[in-house]
Amino acid sequence: MITADKASLAVPDMTTLKYVEPAPMGSSEEGKLVTTTIHAYDLNQLRQAWRGQLMGIAMMSFMHIYMKYTNPLVIQSIIPVKSVFESNLAKIHIFGQPASGDLKRPFKQAQGFMSAMQGGGGAQSDKKAVEAAEKAGRGGAKEE
């Protein structure tokens, strides 16, 4: 069921969102506090998804053109469409699901092999982690 009213599409959600971004893999640093808006967070997530899709296209183009490898091309043409419709942004903005539970921002990152070994999750948005990061002075500048 696709629902989209014109009011929700025209007005971006400028509600402030604070979360602690995890440190880069292999780094001994603490996480960084990020203060942004829901609209800016969604745009950032959209940019990351777009870069991921472009990277997949580039790799498949290399395999197809340079290495003359054609077997995974059929599957690779279906996976991006499937991932778009399963993304959190599509569920919220296209299908009109409420942003609660698993769709609450910041979105939980998919658990991969390396993150499971490190015991790390995604961004932390609980009040305790945000206050600890504010007191430590790690980040906190509002992203525009």
Side-chain angles (χ1 to χ4, degrees), residues 21-144:
E21 191 175 80
M25 189 185 324
S27 173
S28 62
E29 298 175 359
E30 297 280 330
K32 183 178 111 176
L33 177 67
V34 177
T35 304
T36 186
T37 63
I38 290 178
H39 177 69
Y41 180 79
D42 286 352
L43 286 177
N44 188 25
Q45 292 295 311
L46 187 62
R47 280 187 206 107
Q48 287 179 356
W50 181 247
R51 282 188 204 127
Q53 294 299 328
L54 288 178
M55 187 62 100
I57 289 169
M59 291 181 71
M60 288 310 301
S61 298
F62 169 77
M63 289 176 69
H64 179 66
I65 294 169
Y66 184 73
M67 300 178 77
K68 307 289 186 212
Y69 192 66
T70 59
N71 293 343
L73 290 178
V74 173
I75 294 173
Q76 189 65 23
S77 65
I78 297 169
I79 289 175
V81 175
K82 177 182 171 280
S83 67
V84 164
F85 286 112
E86 290 180 347
S87 73
N88 292 332
L89 290 175
K91 288 177 185 175
I92 293 171
H93 294 288
I94 296 174
F95 298 117
Q97 294 182 1
S100 60
D102 288 340
L103 298 178
K104 186 175 180 184
R105 296 169 184 95
F107 301 129
K108 294 179 181 171
Q109 300 294 325
Q111 290 293 323
F113 176 71
M114 292 304 289
S115 63
M117 285 181 58
Q118 287 184 328
Q124 298 175 331
S125 62
D126 58 300
K127 191 172 184 178
K128 185 177 177 183
V130 170
E131 287 177 356
E134 285 176 343
K135 287 180 184 175
R138 299 186 310 257
K142 187 172 182 177
E143 294 179 356
E144 294 294 332

